[in-house]
Amino acid sequence: MAPQPVIRCAVYTRKSTEHNLDLEFNSLDAQRESCEAYIKSQLHEGWRLVPDRYDDGGISGGSLDRPDLQRLLADIRAKRVDNVVVYKVDRLTRSLTDFAKLVELFDAHGVSFVSVTQAFNTTNSMGRLTLNVLLSFAQFEREVIAERVRDKVAASKRKGMWMGGGVPLGYINRDKKLIIVPDEAETVRWIFRTYLEVGSIGRLLQKMDQENIRSKRREPGDGRGAGGCRFGPGSLGYLLRNRCYVGEISHKGLIHAGDHQPIIERELFEAVQVQLKSGAVDRKLKHAGTLHLLKGKLFDSAGNRMTPSHSVKKGVRYRYYVSQAILGSRPGEAGRIGRVSAPELEALIEETLRKRFAAAPGQSLGAPALVETHLERVIVQYDAIELSLTNSRGAAIEVVRLDWQRKPPTAEKGLTAELPPAHQDTKARDAVLAAIGKARSWIRNLGDGATIADIANLEGKGQRQVRLLLPLAFVPPIKVRAIIDGMTPAVTVTELARNVPLVWEPN
């Protein structure tokens, strides 16, 4: 008679929270005791307990990212386990998708799965159906609990209650309410006032180092202190933007009145926010290395973004904004005004914003900060400019329409001609630009595996004509811009294709 085969059984236990885990006999021990008793009842079937413990305490079942579960799966792959025993199926996972992955892994390695309180067998179809139904309810329960917790937090914050997290410098948490600490509150006021004086976070950090100002010291329940260290740029920026200091609570982009006392006056807080936004704009412009104030905010009447560009003629630089439709060789999709002088438009908008948002004494904003703070979008119409304005908090307040007429095409220093010079025919120019765009699309098709014959059949052209026009895809960008601006003599498609330089300098 053949000997009874040994089935190595591993017990897996899990508890979602750390509550009562420090007890001598906790939930994990109770689960394991039940599983071990069940394994002993199956000794006649050859079941034997694996001595290793697989316990995940204080970890949610919403994902598989659990240390002991991963260790168990590694042992399954190493053929050290034949059977996984749990107290309930939701101890293994509460996600139907994750459970499908686990069952697939179990099947691949010939491992069975048993829940001691829920009778089913994963080796037959009815057992799998029962298990999937149970797991669907477990996942539903987890999602309902998560929704209930989120709703409770949102409702509490709408009432202005403090719902935990790191307590800001200047307060202590007493019965879920923020109470002002006088000494720390004075430090916070000094930080806000000094930031307005020095004008940058970097200089403020130097001042704080001189005054030996450190972050809030926290003493968690385990006795290991945290905080009490030097502020960094990120943590200091977060402090300066924290609306708790004006008696408010923020939650998912919404601002609610808090039930705690403010430390900072609202006028001082708003002045700091404006200065912070101004500094962010200056850094952005410095990083981008551009002088165009309306970059990313300007659109033509057809909804196309207008991109900064320039040209140089006789040593003079001419700045302007041009519609993306024109740059993309789609002039028919551009608005009525596809190109506009940058200095003229920027001066008009800056003047309008300064009149509309008169700065408080001592808080004059530079043009970049003024545009970033109060201008959301600009649309260039044929006879007007539409400005979408925002307040200092970024909320839309009104749309202003300015009467505006395009200047005649006479180039002044710093401006660009609005219309192409008379010596170049606009239809010929558009044909050249369309041919360049077509050649670029052919190059992409060739890169995707198409042949010259495929392109010729698709376009209804001869292969020789396609080969002739393909070099247009490599016309230098500076040459393309000159064609768009009408700054080159008239040229035909064939002439341009035959004279594409093999090497050109990037611009």
Side-chain angles (χ1 to χ4, degrees):
M1 182 176 178
Q4 180 75 31
V6 174
I7 300 176
R8 297 163 296 179
C9 301
V11 174
Y12 177 77
T13 63
R14 182 185 64 81
K15 188 176 187 296
S16 297
T17 67
E18 296 182 357
H19 181 63
N20 288 337
L21 282 181
D22 55 343
L23 298 179
E24 184 176 352
F25 186 81
N26 55 47
S27 175
L28 299 180
D29 297 321
Q31 293 177 45
R32 185 172 183 83
E33 186 177 81
S34 297
C35 293
E36 289 179 354
Y38 188 84
I39 293 172
K40 288 180 181 179
S41 70
Q42 302 297 316
L43 284 177
H44 63 283
E45 297 289 342
W47 289 28
R48 298 294 184 271
L49 175 66
V50 172
D52 291 345
R53 295 180 66 101
Y54 304 95
D55 304 321
D56 282 319
I59 301 178
S60 169
S63 76
L64 300 180
D65 189 16
R66 290 170 261 159
D68 274 26
L69 176 60
Q70 292 301 320
R71 188 163 58 86
L72 172 61
L73 297 181
D75 287 346
I76 290 174
R77 295 185 183 98
K79 302 295 185 181
R80 300 192 188 102
V81 174
D82 302 314
N83 200 353
V84 176
V85 182
V86 296
Y87 180 70
K88 282 187 177 182
V89 63
D90 64 357
R91 297 302 88 192
L92 186 65
T93 179
R94 284 179 176 269
S95 169
L96 193 58
T97 303
D98 288 343
F99 183 73
K101 296 177 183 177
L102 291 175
V103 169
E104 183 178 359
L105 177 65
F106 292 170
D107 288 346
H109 294 84
V111 173
S112 299
F113 171 64
V114 174
S115 170
V116 300
T117 60
Q118 297 157 324
F120 54 79
N121 188 340
T122 60
T123 61
N124 58 64
S125 58
M126 183 57 67
R128 290 179 184 275
L129 174 62
T130 305
L131 187 58
N132 285 336
V133 171
L134 290 173
L135 201 60
S136 296
F137 279 101
Q139 178 171 329
F140 171 73
E141 180 186 10
R142 178 175 64 88
E143 293 173 353
V144 168
I145 292 173
E147 290 177 358
R148 188 165 65 241
V149 171
R150 287 194 295 267
D151 291 345
K152 178 183 177 182
V153 170
S156 299
K157 289 205 171 188
R158 283 195 296 270
K159 294 181 179 180
M161 298 175 62
W162 176 255
M163 294 303 295
V167 179
L169 180 67
Y171 293 100
I172 58 172
N173 182 12
R174 186 174 297 164
D175 297 329
K176 294 187 177 181
K177 184 173 182 178
L178 296 180
I179 306 299
I180 292 178
V181 180
D183 292 342
E184 293 184 3
E186 188 55 41
T187 299
V188 171
R189 297 186 187 100
W190 180 90
I191 291 174
F192 273 78
R193 290 194 298 265
T194 306
Y195 174 72
L196 277 187
E197 294 173 4
V198 299
S200 79
I201 287 182
R203 288 190 287 270
L204 176 58
L205 285 171
Q206 295 176 359
K207 287 273 191 180
M208 293 172 66
D209 285 341
Q210 295 171 5
E211 299 293 332
N212 196 31
I213 294 177
R214 296 293 182 261
S215 62
K216 187 178 183 67
R217 182 73 180 176
R218 297 177 177 84
E219 297 292 343
D222 57 8
R224 294 179 297 176
C229 55
R230 181 182 182 274
F231 276 90
S235 58
L236 184 55
Y238 180 80
L239 183 149
L240 292 170
R241 294 181 176 89
N242 196 337
R243 306 200 71 86
C244 281
Y245 292 125
V246 287
E248 295 177 342
I249 295 289
S250 61
H251 180 64
K252 295 186 179 298
L254 300 177
I255 306 299
H256 308 290
D259 63 353
H260 61 278
Q261 294 297 316
I263 291 178
I264 302 298
E265 296 178 355
R266 185 168 296 276
E267 292 76 10
L268 174 59
F269 184 83
E270 294 298 341
V272 166
Q273 305 315 300
V274 171
Q275 180 63 39
L276 285 169
K277 186 170 288 188
S278 173
V281 173
D282 291 342
R283 288 192 299 274
K284 185 188 300 182
L285 292 177
K286 182 178 179 181
H287 178 73
T290 179
L291 298 174
H292 292 84
L293 296 180
L294 305 178
K295 183 177 181 180
K297 297 178 179 288
L298 188 63
F299 298 82
D300 66 15
S301 57
N304 301 295
R305 190 182 298 275
M306 301 190 75
T307 302
S309 189
H310 72 276
S311 63
V312 178
K313 186 176 181 181
K314 295 182 180 181
V316 179
R317 182 184 178 94
Y318 298 89
R319 293 196 304 113
Y320 54 91
Y321 296 92
V322 61
S323 172
Q324 284 280 10
I326 293 179
L327 293 178
S329 302
R330 297 175 284 107
E333 299 178 16
R336 294 189 65 182
I337 303 296
R339 189 180 298 104
V340 63
S341 164
E344 174 193 351
L345 188 61
E346 290 168 354
L348 173 63
I349 291 176
E350 181 182 355
E351 179 185 5
T352 302
L353 293 179
R354 291 200 181 281
K355 290 180 180 178
R356 177 64 177 79
F357 301 99
Q363 298 179 22
S364 178
L365 295 180
L370 191 66
V371 169
E372 183 67 20
T373 303
H374 295 297
L375 187 62
E376 180 181 9
R377 186 183 180 96
V378 181
I379 299 177
V380 180
Q381 305 285 359
Y382 181 73
D383 57 353
I385 303 292
E386 289 186 2
L387 310 180
S388 298
L389 305 182
T390 61
N391 59 22
S392 59
R393 293 188 180 185
I397 54 176
E398 63 177 313
V399 175
V400 175
R401 183 180 175 90
L402 304 176
D403 292 333
W404 174 80
Q405 289 292 332
R406 183 175 58 180
K407 283 191 174 183
T410 55
E412 303 175 11
K413 188 172 182 178
L415 303 178
T416 184
E418 299 293 346
L419 296 176
H423 69 264
Q424 186 184 58
D425 179 59
T426 57
K427 291 185 178 180
R429 180 201 63 185
D430 292 344
V432 170
L433 293 175
I436 292 174
K438 182 70 72 174
R440 290 177 177 177
S441 69
W442 292 348
I443 289 294
R444 288 193 295 270
N445 293 340
L446 290 173
D448 293 336
T451 65
I452 297 291
D454 295 334
I455 296 174
N457 291 334
L458 182 65
E459 298 289 343
K461 301 180 183 295
Q463 295 186 37
R464 182 176 179 276
Q465 186 178 8
V466 172
R467 290 193 182 93
L468 175 66
L469 298 181
L470 272 176
L472 292 174
F474 305 101
V475 175
I478 190 170
K479 179 75 172 178
V480 175
R481 282 200 294 269
I483 295 173
I484 293 173
D485 301 333
M487 298 299 178
T488 61
V491 60
T492 66
V493 172
T494 303
E495 290 173 347
L496 184 62
R498 288 175 176 172
N499 293 282
V500 175
L502 297 179
V503 179
W504 41 269
E505 293 292 331
N507 56 303

